[in-house]
Amino acid sequence: DTRPARGPQGGTLGPLKAGQTIECPLALSLEGRTVLTLALVPVNCDGAGFVSREGAQAPELVVTFGQ
């Protein structure tokens, strides 16, 4: 297993719908970081599924960083 260990929780999402675009402010400091690793950890059975970038419908991550 080459995944990095999980750090502090940075946000929480509610139930998701297929094709939905979501926005989740991160509750952690990005100050001084050069690398940010995110993990989506399902905790319910709302039917949401996630595919890798190699999948037919690759997800898109948009990060907006402001002071």
Side-chain angles (χ1 to χ4, degrees):
D1 186 3
T2 59
R3 293 178 290 187
R6 280 192 229 148
Q9 180 173 324
T12 302
L13 303 174
L16 305 173
K17 296 178 185 172
Q20 179 182 5
T21 298
I22 57 168
E23 191 173 303
C24 180
L26 298 179
L28 52 92
S29 172
L30 300 178
E31 187 71 33
R33 291 179 183 246
T34 58
V35 175
L36 176 64
T37 302
L38 301 173
L40 299 176
V41 182
V43 294
N44 61 35
C45 298
D46 63 4
F50 303 96
V51 294
S52 70
R53 63 179 170 222
E54 290 86 8
Q57 295 178 321
E60 179 182 7
L61 173 66
V62 177
V63 177
T64 303
F65 180 74
Q67 297 290 329

